[in-house]
Amino acid sequence: MSEQPAGPKTVLLRRGEVHSPADPFATAMVVERGQVAWVGSEGAADAFADGVDEVIDLDGALVTPAFTDAHVHITATGLALTGLDLSGAPTLEAALALVRDFAAARPADRVLLGHGWDAARWPGGRPPTRAELDTATGGRPLYLSRADVHSAVVSTALLDLVPAGVSRADAPLTADDHHAVREAALGALAPAQRAEAQRTALAHAASLGIGSVHECGGPQISSEDDFTGLLKLAGELPGPRVVGYWAERDVDKARELGAAGAAGDLFVDGALGSHTACLHQPYADAPHTGTVYLDADAVAEHVVACTEAGLQAGFHAIGDAAVTSVVEGVRTAAEKVGLARVRAARHRVEHAEMLTPDTVAAFAELGLIASVQPAFDAIWGGEDGMYVRRLGAGRARTLNPYAALLRAGVPLAFGSDSPVTPLDPWGTVRAAAFHRTPEHRVSVRAAFTAHTRGGWRAIGRDDAGVLVPGAPADYAVWHTGDLIVQAPDDRLARWSTDPRSGTPGLPDLTPGTGLPVCLRTVVGGRTVFVRPGE
């Protein structure tokens, strides 16, 4: 495969497998003016060969819609890719050694940034003390976010940069204290360092077949300059596309910044790992129910304001009490402005991990989008995972009920919450299809749809995320093995593999098998990634 020039042109792709509901046996596709123009069989492709600018011989490769990651933090992702990654540190001592080496290697950085530590995985279960961090950095400012990005440990020099009133206790900082130190750390970044991180993250996304990302920014997460700078940068690049959400209860501000909604990580609560998700009953390993940032009345007020302004509202809600507050608030808003208007707005709930049958039904009733991250279950689920430690086995088994959401008709949009979990679209599809709790599993096809078309539907676009004539030419080309149909129900799986079913296949994602390798990513007909050697 040869790389295309910058501008979109008419291209025929042939001799491959094209994943399209327009033709489940398609082997060829024509792209024209940034849109899919035709999908069909190899024999019919001959008629197009002389009238296109380029013919790409797929040599058996698979073509799918490009993925949409519906929840990312681009600058933080880029900083994790270019900065200190502690996710693989097996012990506290190893983590401190990595901090020392990183500080020595980055003498010019005004602030040292790292991510991914999880003391629960270390012998002894203890996070680093401030004195240990001061020694490891030689007294320089350091910010290290925990794996869930809802708490952090910092050095004394960074604390000296924040306003008075932030806790100086020798323990991980959470809630408002954490927001203050994160703001100070990111505020110390040089503009060039921030732009480098953004370009790195977008290029990495493209290399994984991701054509669109939903940036979840906000005043407690990044900064206005970071958000507008990212949208400007994305507008200058051929891709991936960036849809921005601004997490502030100020509709005018969100519109001014160019956001698609006053949504994303508008915190109703925190996270389970940091004991800040808001629960109806106390944690199994802590004598409290977490942290609440917004109540149902505040949710209702925000949903009304956004609905009347024609913007999406959205909330970060993880604990069952937080999700209940969102549902109650949205229902109150629907009583004020009308259920049809609320449903049409496609308001979002990010994460939505602790759901009950009642809240699942309410999501369906209110037309809420569930913007969820299956990798959370892959990392924190299971009999020995963090969910069980925080909640006990009974409650842990109820988390992330994707099958129940789909049965109720709730639209799903899959994402990573990167850098909380890495950008990994096929791994995300696998995590949903092979959920650690079997009753929550969905078919590979349903999971794939949630990670492609689902992200487009979450921004109000029902005409995209699928390879049919007229849709945006956002697609990826993959090297993969045989295509099959995988579903939780064996009877359905057997029928779906029968050619008479007309069900297009997808890669075998059985745990332990290799994931597809991205060869090319195209956004709006423009190539944004080609694997070296292709």
Side-chain angles (χ1 to χ4, degrees):
M1 298 185 207
S2 60
E3 186 170 1
Q4 302 176 29
K9 57 184 180 179
T10 304
V11 178
L12 168 64
L13 300 94
R14 64 184 308 177
R15 286 205 330 116
E17 301 279 354
V18 180
H19 186 86
S20 171
D23 182 346
F25 309 109
T27 62
M29 180 171 76
V30 173
V31 171
E32 185 175 18
R33 298 189 183 94
Q35 294 183 323
V36 177
W38 172 84
V39 175
S41 66
E42 191 59 37
D46 289 335
F48 295 97
D50 293 335
V52 299
D53 299 315
E54 182 180 9
V55 176
I56 296 178
D57 185 343
L58 294 167
D59 192 23
L62 171 66
V63 182
T64 71
F67 286 101
T68 293
D69 192 309
H71 190 120
V72 297
H73 306 283
I74 287 295
T75 302
T77 296
L79 291 170
L81 291 168
T82 60
L84 175 57
D85 180 5
L86 295 175
S87 60
T91 65
L92 170 60
E93 292 73 22
L96 290 170
L98 289 171
V99 171
R100 283 194 298 272
D101 293 345
F102 185 72
R106 309 279 295 205
D109 287 359
R110 291 189 286 186
V111 60
L112 300 168
L113 300 171
H115 169 69
W117 63 270
D118 185 354
R121 300 179 187 173
W122 295 339
R126 177 178 72 79
T129 65
R130 189 160 305 127
E132 289 170 333
L133 297 178
D134 290 345
T135 299
T137 61
R140 295 168 63 191
L142 170 73
Y143 168 87
L144 296 178
S145 54
R146 189 186 179 278
D148 62 7
V149 200
H150 281 266
S151 60
V153 290
V154 301
S155 66
T156 302
L158 183 64
L159 270 185
D160 291 340
L161 299 178
V162 302
V166 172
S167 173
R168 299 184 77 90
D170 197 6
L173 299 171
T174 62
D176 290 342
D177 290 335
H178 174 228
H179 299 154
V181 295
R182 176 165 58 188
E183 182 178 358
L186 296 178
L189 285 176
Q193 189 178 1
R194 184 173 64 204
E196 175 199 10
Q198 292 171 346
R199 288 181 180 276
T200 299
L202 291 173
H204 182 59
S207 77
L208 298 171
I210 297 171
S212 299
V213 296
H214 297 179
E215 165 70 12
C216 292
Q220 296 176 323
I221 300 161
S222 51
S223 68
E224 293 181 14
D225 286 345
D226 181 278
F227 187 76
T228 56
L230 172 62
L231 295 183
K232 182 176 184 295
L233 176 66
E236 297 168 350
L237 298 175
R241 304 175 193 262
V242 177
V243 177
Y245 288 95
W246 185 252
E248 189 171 3
R249 292 170 61 197
D250 184 339
V251 172
D252 292 336
K253 175 62 70 175
R255 196 187 299 280
E256 174 191 327
L257 295 177
D265 276 330
L266 184 53
F267 296 119
V268 176
D269 68 344
L272 291 166
S274 295
H275 291 101
T276 51
C278 190
L279 313 180
H280 283 303
Q281 301 298 324
Y283 284 87
D285 60 350
H288 61 81
T289 58
T291 305
V292 59
Y293 298 115
L294 296 177
D295 61 15
D297 289 342
V299 169
E301 179 184 341
H302 187 62
V303 172
V304 168
C306 287
T307 303
E308 292 182 336
L311 286 176
Q312 279 181 293
F315 305 91
H316 162 119
I318 287 178
D320 50 2
V323 174
T324 296
S325 292
V326 170
V327 164
E328 291 177 350
V330 177
R331 184 172 283 126
T332 298
E335 292 169 356
K336 293 181 179 179
V337 301
L339 178 60
R341 290 181 69 193
V342 165
R343 289 178 58 86
R346 304 192 189 190
H347 301 309
R348 301 171 53 137
V349 184
E350 310 297 323
H351 316 309
E353 292 177 66
M354 292 186 72
L355 293 162
T356 65
D358 286 344
T359 50
V360 168
F363 272 46
E365 172 198 354
L366 299 167
L368 295 173
I369 303 286
S371 172
V372 295
Q373 296 75 40
F376 288 5
D377 174 74
I379 295 173
W380 299 319
E383 295 180 0
D384 300 319
M386 181 270 287
Y387 288 156
V388 169
R389 292 194 297 274
R390 292 292 184 268
L391 302 172
R395 280 189 293 178
R397 280 194 296 270
T398 69
L399 265 61
N400 304 304
Y402 303 138
L405 287 163
L406 284 180
R407 283 195 301 269
V410 177
L412 298 183
F414 281 178
S416 62
D417 198 9
S418 179
V420 176
T421 67
L423 298 172
D424 181 15
W426 285 113
T428 295
V429 173
R430 171 185 280 172
F434 295 91
H435 197 294
R436 289 178 177 270
T437 305
E439 58 263 37
H440 300 329
R441 292 174 180 171
V442 299
S443 69
V444 168
R445 183 184 181 191
F448 178 79
T449 298
H451 214 353
T452 50
R453 198 170 192 179
W456 284 95
R457 286 173 166 166
I459 61 170
R461 290 282 301 274
D462 295 330
D463 62 335
V466 61
L467 299 180
V468 297
D474 289 23
Y475 63 90
V477 180
W478 306 92
H479 173 72
T480 187
D482 292 339
L483 304 183
I484 64 173
V485 174
Q486 292 177 297
D489 188 321
D490 287 341
R491 293 168 298 172
L492 174 62
R494 284 198 298 272
W495 165 244
S496 297
T497 56
D498 189 309
R500 291 171 296 171
S501 73
T503 302
L506 285 166
D508 182 359
L509 300 183
T510 303
T513 60
L515 293 175
V517 175
C518 184
L519 304 178
R520 177 188 293 255
T521 305
V522 176
V523 176
R526 298 173 185 267
T527 299
V528 299
F529 168 76
V530 174
R531 181 161 296 280
E534 294 298 324

